[in-house]
């Protein structure tokens, strides 16, 4: 039986040959992940924020917070109360 000869290992230019093969694959995978994140996460989140702020009334929220006495330094009239400082 003849011994099976093994292929010689590549000792020179190994990095270059691997980069030629792996760099385009890495670029394609990273671009795909970026586009997937943009279209699946970022854009729907922006739409939800825009939808929320279309009918959001800051003044009514502020008035409700004043009525519930969330602000300790401002009384219900919106005048600063320095006794709590």
């Amino acid at each position: 039986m003849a011994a099976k000869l093994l292929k010689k290992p590549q000792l020179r230019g190994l990095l270059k040959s691997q980069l030629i093969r792996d760099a385009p694959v890495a670029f394609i995978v990273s671009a795909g992940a970026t586009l997937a994140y943009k279209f699946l996460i970022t854009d729907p989140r922006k739409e939800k924020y825009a939808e929320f702020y279309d009918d959001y009334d800051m003044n009514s929220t502020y008035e409700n917070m004043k009525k519930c006495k969330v602000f300790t330094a401002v009384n219900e009239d919106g005048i600063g109360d320095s006794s709590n400082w």
Side-chain angles (χ1 to χ4, degrees), residues 3-85:
K4 191 174 182 181
L5 294 175
L6 295 177
K7 183 179 172 185
K8 285 187 175 181
Q10 182 179 5
L11 299 177
R12 292 182 187 254
L14 179 62
L15 177 64
K16 181 180 178 183
S17 65
Q18 285 182 341
L19 282 178
I20 288 173
R21 182 188 64 211
D22 293 342
V25 172
F27 178 77
I28 291 169
V29 168
S30 65
T34 302
L35 290 174
Y37 187 82
K38 179 187 181 337
F39 290 117
L40 297 176
I41 295 175
T42 306
D43 288 347
R45 186 179 292 171
K46 284 182 183 179
E47 289 173 8
K48 286 181 183 177
Y49 275 112
E51 180 182 323
F52 174 77
Y53 282 109
D54 280 343
D55 61 350
Y56 179 70
D57 187 16
M58 279 192 299
N59 292 330
S60 68
T61 305
Y62 175 69
E63 294 300 325
N64 289 337
M65 290 170 73
K66 277 196 320 188
K67 287 178 187 175
C68 294
K69 298 184 180 179
V70 172
F71 305 114
T72 58
V74 178
N75 59 16
E76 291 181 9
D77 298 329
I79 299 171
D81 185 13
S82 61
S83 65
N84 291 335
W85 292 15

